[in-house]
Amino acid sequence: MTKDSSEKSPLISQSVLKSYDRKSEENFDNGVIATESSESGSIGSGVYTYTARQKRVLVQMATANFCHTVCFSLIAPFFPNEAEQKGATPAQIGLIFSVFELVIFICSPIFGRYITVIGSRFMYIMGLFVCGATTILFGFLNLAPDGGMFVGLCFAVRITEAIAATSFVTASYAIIANEFTGRVATVFGLLETFTGLGLMVGPPIGGLLYGAGGFFLPFVLMGSLMMLCVAVSICGLPKQEDMERRTGHTFLDLVKIPTVALIAGNVSVAAVTIAYVEPFLSGHLKTQVVISDVVALCYNL
């Protein structure tokens, strides 16, 4: 790292600081780092400034996160009833919902291990592409034969979508670390806001589109938007320099830390309290003669 490039960094680690001149050290100690960089954010007078490149990446990733979570959550208001009509049992319907997160749990460490081999940019774009393709494909599953064939295809498509989502999300973390050095927590929180927004509006969007055009419309429309995100990312997402960083610790070492285990347990319990109603709420509300649009809004609450 040269002096010129090091002065462009919005956050300077202690090890890198040693290579700077005394003036740079004094600026860092005072909390002010002057920069004229166009490639990375700057901190001047305590205010962080995002560059045009960072803003472009942030908009792309926020839009992709939003569309992806809408695709994941839009099935809640109408799929249980459709699946029941196709011969699926309540237990099978619940598993179709839950297998998505189960696959993400299993595959996340694997993608994290090989991200430097595959490349974060390629992993990100391919994850988006497969997510969009499987979302569109899911819209045609109502044409499958009733019974075991329908259930099996639902599992296959849902698992494939979950693997793609794992690829996309894991690559997002690496790209955030590369593009927003020193602002990872802030950018991650912002993207999680769009993720939460997608989960919130996904069921109402799914219910409204289902009422307007039947089973296939929500999936085809949102899958097409995902494909548009793919095209934008191919053209606008900068190339990433993926460097492998070995710490000597494994995933099991991480979960053995009491604080990490406690937080993971709390998050899991919180997720259960949110998701357990998805397989049966719409069916219960339909027995109370509640119209489809109102069912969709109930998930939004």
Side-chain angles (χ1 to χ4, degrees), residues 29-204:
D29 293 335
N30 293 332
V32 178
I33 301 176
T35 179
E36 297 178 355
S37 171
S38 61
E39 293 297 324
S40 55
S42 63
I43 302 177
S45 302
V47 178
Y48 187 90
T49 303
Y50 291 95
T51 65
R53 166 173 169 156
Q54 289 177 321
K55 292 177 181 178
R56 186 171 66 250
V57 172
L58 189 57
V59 169
Q60 292 177 29
M61 297 185 71
T63 304
N65 269 268
F66 174 78
C67 292
H68 158 250
T69 48
V70 169
C71 291
F72 160 72
S73 63
L74 61 80
I75 71 172
F78 60 87
F79 178 76
N81 292 327
E82 288 281 345
E84 187 176 0
Q85 294 176 11
K86 300 290 286 186
T89 66
Q92 290 171 336
I93 295 172
L95 288 173
I96 291 172
F97 275 91
S98 63
V99 73
F100 190 94
E101 298 295 348
L102 175 62
V103 171
I104 290 178
F105 175 79
I106 295 172
C107 292
S108 291
I110 300 174
F111 278 109
R113 174 65 180 83
Y114 293 102
I115 189 171
T116 55
V117 177
I118 301 173
S120 59
R121 186 177 185 274
F122 178 80
M123 185 183 292
Y124 178 89
I125 293 175
M126 284 303 300
L128 281 180
F129 174 78
V130 177
C131 276
T134 50
T135 299
I136 294 174
L137 181 61
F138 204 96
F140 294 92
L141 292 184
N142 64 328
L143 303 178
D146 296 353
M149 179 64 72
F150 171 79
V151 173
L153 288 174
C154 286
F155 274 110
V157 175
R158 195 77 165 161
I159 289 172
T160 305
E161 182 183 0
I163 294 173
T166 308
S167 170
F168 153 66
V169 173
T170 304
S172 296
Y173 297 153
I175 294 173
I176 289 173
N178 288 338
E179 294 289 335
F180 301 93
T181 307
R183 305 294 294 183
V184 173
T186 301
V187 175
F188 179 75
L190 181 60
L191 293 182
E192 284 297 300
T193 300
F194 282 89
T195 298
L197 183 62
L199 292 173
M200 182 180 70
V201 303

Side-chain angles (χ1 to χ4, degrees), residues 180-289:
F180 301 93
T181 307
R183 305 294 294 183
V184 173
T186 301
V187 175
F188 179 75
L190 181 60
L191 293 182
E192 284 297 300
T193 300
F194 282 89
T195 298
L197 183 62
L199 292 173
M200 182 180 70
V201 303
I205 290 176
L208 292 173
L209 292 176
Y210 174 77
F215 186 85
F216 85 100
L217 181 60
F219 300 103
V220 172
L221 180 59
M222 292 308 305
S224 299
L225 288 178
M226 289 289 289
M227 291 300 187
L228 181 60
C229 290
V230 172
V232 173
S233 297
I234 291 175
C235 298
L237 187 66
K239 293 183 178 180
Q240 303 296 312
E241 296 182 3
D242 300 308
M243 295 183 296
E244 188 172 6
R245 301 176 179 89
R246 291 189 176 274
T247 62
H249 299 287
T250 65
F251 177 76
L252 291 179
D253 294 331
L254 178 65
V255 298
K256 288 179 181 178
I257 301 174
T259 303
V260 174
L262 179 61
I263 294 174
N266 291 338
V267 171
S268 299
V269 172
V272 169
T273 61
I274 296 172
Y276 80 98
V277 300
E278 290 183 344
F280 64 83
L281 179 61
S282 62
H284 173 72
L285 293 176
K286 287 293 181 66
T287 62
Q288 307 300 316
V289 197

